[in-house]
Amino acid sequence: MSTEEQKEQFKRYKEDVERRGKSFYPHAMFHDTVMSFVVVSVIAALAAIWHYTSSEEPADAGLLGPRYHEEADPGTTSFLPRPDWYFYFLFYLLRIFKWPESVFLGTVGVPTILLIILLLVPFFDRRRERRLIRRPVAVVASLLVIASMGILTYKGATAEEPSAIGAEALLAANGIPAEDETLVQGADLFAKVGCLNCHTYASQGSAGPGPELTEVGNKGRGVDYWKDWIRDPSALGGEGMPGFPTLEDAQLEALGEFLEASKGGG
Ligand code: HEC
C-alpha cells in the first residue's frame, strides 16, 4: 500500500471518528467504572454467601462449598502439587523442558519471544483487511496456539504423578532384587516423600533440579553418609535440596540402604 493511500485512509478514519465516535472521557470511562463495580460486587456477594452459609465443620458444605476439606498441614512431605486445570498446559510444558538446560528457554524465552512478536504485529501488518479468509497466517497461527494449548492441557491432566510409581517397579527397573525388606521400604519412601519430584531414578521421576540417582550407589559413600545427607544436605555442603528432618532414623536407614544398592543394574 502506498503512503498516499495510507494517508487517505487515515484521514477518512479521523473524519469517521469525528462524525460518529464518542470520546474516551467520559463515555468509555463511565462504562468501565460501572462494569468494574458490577464485577467486584458479584465477587463480594458470592464471598459473603459462601462465608455465611458454610460452617467451620469440614463436612457441612453450605450453598457454595465447604470452608475446607482437610486442615492444611505445613509439615507434610507427601503432598503432590498439582495446578488448577487452567494451568495444566504450563505444568506440562515444564515437564517437556528438561532442567536445567532448556527450562529457562521454555518458561521465559519462548513466551517472551511470542509476546514481542505479538506486540510487533500492528507495526508490520498494517493492512485494513479484517476478513479471516484473507488472513491465513494469523488464522493458522491462532489455531495452532489453541490446538497446542488444548493438547498440553490434556497431557497435563492425564500426566502420571511421580509418586504413583511403586517400590517394586523402582527396584525392578534398577535390577535390585525385591527380597530385602529394608530396600523395599527405602524404595517406597523414595517414591512417597517426593524424591522423584527432583530426581530421575531408572527413567522415572523428574529430570531436575537434582542429579540422576540410578547409579548413585557406585559413588561408595556409604549408608551413614546418605542418612546425614537426606537429613540435612546443607550440612554437607549441598545446595538446592531440602532436608528431611522429620524422617525417623529407621526411615533414613532404609533410604540410605536403597541409595547404596542403586548401581544401575537394570
Ligand atoms: C526440591 C528438590 C529435591 C528433592 C525433593 C530431593 N532432592 Fe536430592 N538433590 C537435589 C539437588 C538440587 C541435589 C544436588 C545438590 C548438590 O549437589 O549440592 C540433590 C542431590 C542428591 C543426591 C546426590 C548427593 C551426591 O553427593 O551425589 C542424593 C543421593 C539425593 N539428592 C537424594 C535424595 C533423596 C533420597 C530425596 C528424598 C528423600 C531427595 N534427594 C529429594 C534436589 C532434591
Side-chain angles (χ1 to χ4, degrees), residues 170-177 183 201-202 212-223 226 255-266:
L170 270 188
L171 291 170
N174 208 5
I176 308 173
L183 287 182
Y201 188 93
E212 165 152 14
L213 296 178
T214 317
E215 302 183 18
V216 76
N218 290 332
K219 288 191 165 179
R221 293 252 165 83
V223 175
W226 293 137
L255 277 168
E257 296 270 0
F258 169 70
L259 288 176
E260 201 53 26
S262 302
K263 299 197 152 80

Side-chain angles (χ1 to χ4, degrees), residues 193-195 198-199 210-211 213 219 221 226 229 238-242 244:
V193 302
C195 313
C198 296
H199 291 284
L213 296 178
K219 288 191 165 179
R221 293 252 165 83
W226 293 137
W229 173 267
E239 263 175 46
M241 171 164 156
F244 291 79

Side-chain angles (χ1 to χ4, degrees), residues 11 15 33 44 69 83 87 139 144-145 158 171 185-186 196 203 205 213 215 221 237 240:
K11 217 178 107 211
E15 282 164 8
T33 312
H69 294 279
F87 279 136
V139 170
L144 279 180
V145 168
T158 54
L171 291 170
Q185 197 206 343
L196 285 167
S203 352
L213 296 178
E215 302 183 18
R221 293 252 165 83

Side-chain angles (χ1 to χ4, degrees), residues 78-243:
S78 57
F79 175 69
L80 292 168
R82 272 187 93 79
D84 283 314
W85 65 268
Y86 42 84
F87 279 136
Y88 276 154
F89 74 100
L90 279 178
F91 173 64
Y92 201 75
L93 258 191
L94 275 179
R95 290 200 168 187
I96 294 179
F97 289 100
K98 296 287 181 224
W99 190 273
E101 309 85 38
S102 56
V103 158
F104 185 77
L105 184 74
T107 52
V108 180
V110 173
T112 308
I113 293 170
L114 289 181
L115 264 181
I116 291 175
I117 294 180
L118 212 56
L119 285 174
L120 289 180
V121 166
F123 293 97
F124 59 77
D125 182 6
R126 297 177 55 187
R127 297 168 307 154
R128 291 170 60 83
E129 188 60 71
R130 296 263 182 98
R131 277 163 295 187
L132 292 183
I133 195 88
R134 297 273 177 87
R135 307 187 57 197
V137 178
V139 170
V140 169
S142 329
L143 287 182
L144 279 180
V145 168
I146 294 170
S148 37
M149 281 176 75
I151 293 170
L152 286 173
T153 301
Y154 173 76
K155 298 282 275 181
T158 54
E160 223 181 287
E161 286 304 337
S163 73
I165 301 149
E168 277 77 17
L170 270 188
L171 291 170
N174 208 5
I176 308 173
E179 280 129 38
D180 191 328
E181 219 171 279
T182 320
L183 287 182
V184 177
Q185 197 206 343
D188 190 46
L189 281 166
F190 190 82
K192 282 215 180 102
V193 302
C195 313
L196 285 167
N197 291 336
C198 296
H199 291 284
T200 307
Y201 188 93
S203 352
Q204 303 287 358
S206 310
E212 165 152 14
L213 296 178
T214 317
E215 302 183 18
V216 76
N218 290 332
K219 288 191 165 179
R221 293 252 165 83
V223 175
D224 286 332
Y225 179 89
W226 293 137
K227 285 172 69 176
D228 291 340
W229 173 267
I230 299 166
R231 195 184 294 117
D232 184 9
S234 62
L236 295 171
E239 263 175 46
M241 171 164 156

